[in-house]
């Protein structure tokens, strides 16, 4: 099984380009995901993870997301490699199936954006879960 779920903040605005053939939107961005601290006094560290999404999800990401936004991403891990200056470089990225905004910036509505199926914007809290506030977020 290849499945990943992450919560983090965008390190910069998403980069969006369009494929040559069918002009599909492709968005790439990086999120900073905090690591658990070894102790209360330990310095906070983070992993910087590359995310890629396609189609309507990419278009909505371009329109509504920006540096510093807190997002949840679900998808799959994809590895690859390429040659650079005669050396093989290995890559690991997350291909997002779903991107969910977890905060509100500049009056924007929160919501889910899915690559497959419906692209409806929803701000409903699932049954059994409580809505998060800024005070619930530790950073």
């Amino acid at each position: 099984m290849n499945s990943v779920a992450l919560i983090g903040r965008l390190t910069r605005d998403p980069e969006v380009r369009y494929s040559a053939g069918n002009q599909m939107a492709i968005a790439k961005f990086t999120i900073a995901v905090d690591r658990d601290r070894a102790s209360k006094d330990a310095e906070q560290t983070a992993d910087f993870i590359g995310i890629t999404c396609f189609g309507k999800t990419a278009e909505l990401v371009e329109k509504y997301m920006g540096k510093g936004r807190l997002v949840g991403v679900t998808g799959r891990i994809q590895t690859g490699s390429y040659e650079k200056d005669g050396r093989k470089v290995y890559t690991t990225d997350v291909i997002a199936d779903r991107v969910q905004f977890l905060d509100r910036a500049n009056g924007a509505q929160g919501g889910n954006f899915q690559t497959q199926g419906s692209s409806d914007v929803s701000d409903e809290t699932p049954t059994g879960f409580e809505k998060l506030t800024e005070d619930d977020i530790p950073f």
Side-chain angles (χ1 to χ4, degrees):
M1 178 186 315
N2 183 352
S3 180
V4 64
L6 302 166
I7 295 176
R9 291 196 181 272
L10 269 76
T11 60
R12 63 178 183 264
D13 291 343
E15 296 176 15
V16 178
R17 60 184 172 87
Y18 291 85
S19 64
N22 60 4
Q23 291 296 305
M24 178 187 295
I26 303 166
K28 291 184 177 247
F29 55 96
T30 300
I31 61 173
V33 178
D34 286 338
R35 291 183 183 176
D36 286 339
R37 294 181 188 192
S39 69
K40 276 185 163 182
D41 300 328
E43 185 176 328
Q44 182 65 56
T45 58
D47 292 302
F48 297 89
I49 300 170
I51 310 291
T52 303
C53 56
F54 299 93
K56 188 70 171 173
T57 302
E59 293 171 6
L60 293 169
V61 161
E62 177 183 32
K63 185 173 181 179
Y64 294 108
M65 286 178 41
K67 181 179 178 177
R69 292 293 305 266
L70 182 67
V71 296
V73 175
T74 59
R76 62 183 172 82
I77 293 177
Q78 180 172 294
T79 60
S81 64
Y82 60 92
E83 292 284 332
K84 183 176 182 179
D85 300 328
R87 298 183 68 192
K88 195 165 199 168
V89 178
Y90 295 93
T91 62
T92 302
D93 292 297
V94 171
I95 306 302
D97 294 323
R98 182 175 172 187
V99 176
Q100 182 173 2
F101 302 151
L102 300 178
D103 66 357
R104 296 179 189 268
N106 301 327
Q109 292 185 355
N112 301 322
F113 302 122
Q114 297 183 18
T115 303
Q116 298 174 353
S118 171
S119 63
D120 295 336
V121 175
S122 171
D123 194 29
E124 296 180 16
T125 304
T127 305
F129 292 88
E130 296 178 11
K131 192 171 286 274
L132 291 175
T133 66
E134 283 294 319
D135 294 333
D136 296 324
I137 301 170
F139 43 86

